[in-house]
Amino acid sequence: MSLFEDLNTDPAETEVIRITADERAREAALRERFASFWKSASGEPRVIYDAFIAATPLATEVTLDAVEEDGVRGWWVRPTHAHPAQAILYIHGGGYGLGSARAYRGFVSQIVSRTQVPALAIDYPLAPEASLPAAPVAALTAWRWLVNQRCNQIAVVGDSAGGGLTLVTLAELGRRTVGPAPIAGVVFSPWADLAFTGASMTDSAVTDPLITHDYLQDCARKYLGNVGPTDPLASPLFGEFRGLPPLLIQVGTDERLLDDARQFAKRAAQAGVRVRCEVWEGMHHVFQLDVAHLESSRAALDRTARFLRGAFNA
């Protein structure tokens, strides 16, 4: 069975997923909560960001174990029962300058509980203290660590900047001829284009409640270092598509990164990649985090789990 058959659509096409009036009301209320949080937040930006992300509740029946060995730092998030050869490598977002594996444990647990596949959420060097290629090197190091743990079925999942780094990692792995190949990739609101060619970056009709064009430009400057914005290590939109595994991309209509997702999906499909792009109406950046508030968040993660289970069971 195709990994995409249970999603009931052509994998080369983009599906717009509509929401109900009640869900619109819940989304509006959540945006008020966002505005209140960011207005009242004070202190070090990384601490504030982690507090925002860590609000995603921890799923039941998962265990958390810190990892720090062989150049890999992060957290194992594991279900009670799991196949020992299967794993998810999770790469967090935060504009390449914020975020931590610890803060993302709750969100990753929501994926783990739905898939019953353990996930390694990793830390990678953040900008401006580190710039390219430090983050891709860390992701590949984590991949090798999982392989050394005898995981031979591995999917890579990430959000926002971590979604971009996920696509970079998959492209780098696709060029290899030894070792297990990634079985699938999932990206939530991926930042795939640090050259800012997408129209949604400056489209006045796009109302992004969380990130701005100026913020992303500042993040890009700090992360790129001496690397050009169209270098595939920075912007997977300009990289190699052949060799990529089946992909699921989810993005909201109300975010600056909308066209990053759509452009990447289009180019991947043209290159023959099995790619599925879901555009969720009225949803904000990485809305999947908000499982406590939105039916759309829970539904999107349920779809993600079906896709990933299909990949692991293929």
Side-chain angles (χ1 to χ4, degrees), residues 79-125:
T80 303
H81 304 287
H83 192 289
Q86 297 178 344
I88 294 168
L89 173 60
Y90 191 88
I91 307 177
H92 71 76
Y96 293 117
L98 305 171
S100 69
R102 174 183 283 274
Y104 272 83
R105 291 178 303 176
F107 181 53
V108 174
S109 78
Q110 296 293 331
I111 300 171
V112 168
S113 69
R114 286 168 166 82
T115 60
Q116 292 301 296
V117 175
L120 175 67
I122 63 165
D123 287 308
Y124 53 87

Side-chain angles (χ1 to χ4, degrees), residues 4 9-16 247-251 258 261-262 265-266 275-279:
F4 298 91
T9 189
D10 182 342
E13 302 249 342
T14 295
E15 179 186 10
V16 176
L247 298 175
L248 174 62
I249 301 172
Q250 294 179 342
V251 68
L258 172 59
R262 293 193 295 201
K266 181 179 179 180
V275 60
R276 178 82 183 80
C277 184
E278 297 177 355
V279 178

Side-chain angles (χ1 to χ4, degrees), residues 122-192:
I122 63 165
D123 287 308
Y124 53 87
L126 299 177
E129 294 89 344
S131 58
L132 280 170
V137 168
L140 291 172
T141 299
W143 172 275
R144 288 191 293 269
W145 186 86
L146 285 171
V147 172
N148 289 336
Q149 303 301 306
R150 299 185 178 179
C151 296
N152 56 31
Q153 282 188 301
I154 308 171
V156 188
V157 182
D159 69 286
S160 194
L165 186 50
T166 290
L167 297 173
V168 169
T169 302
L170 292 172
E172 290 293 303
L173 292 169
R175 288 197 286 271
R176 297 176 175 229
T177 57
V178 296
I183 63 165
V186 178
V187 287
F188 309 119
S189 304
W191 190 10

Side-chain angles (χ1 to χ4, degrees), residues 11-27:
E13 302 249 342
T14 295
E15 179 186 10
V16 176
I17 299 175
R18 310 293 179 184
I19 64 173
T20 66
D22 286 346
E23 186 74 340
R24 286 185 179 277
R26 287 188 286 268
E27 170 71 9

Side-chain angles (χ1 to χ4, degrees), residues 16-17 39 42 63 73 89 105 127 140 148 158 177 186 194 206 222 244 264 272 284 291 306:
V16 176
I17 299 175
K39 183 178 180 179
S42 61
T63 61
R73 293 181 60 249
L89 173 60
R105 291 178 303 176
L140 291 172
N148 289 336
T177 57
V186 178
L194 275 66
V206 176
K222 293 173 179 175
L244 290 178
F264 190 92
H284 58 273
V291 293
R306 288 202 301 274

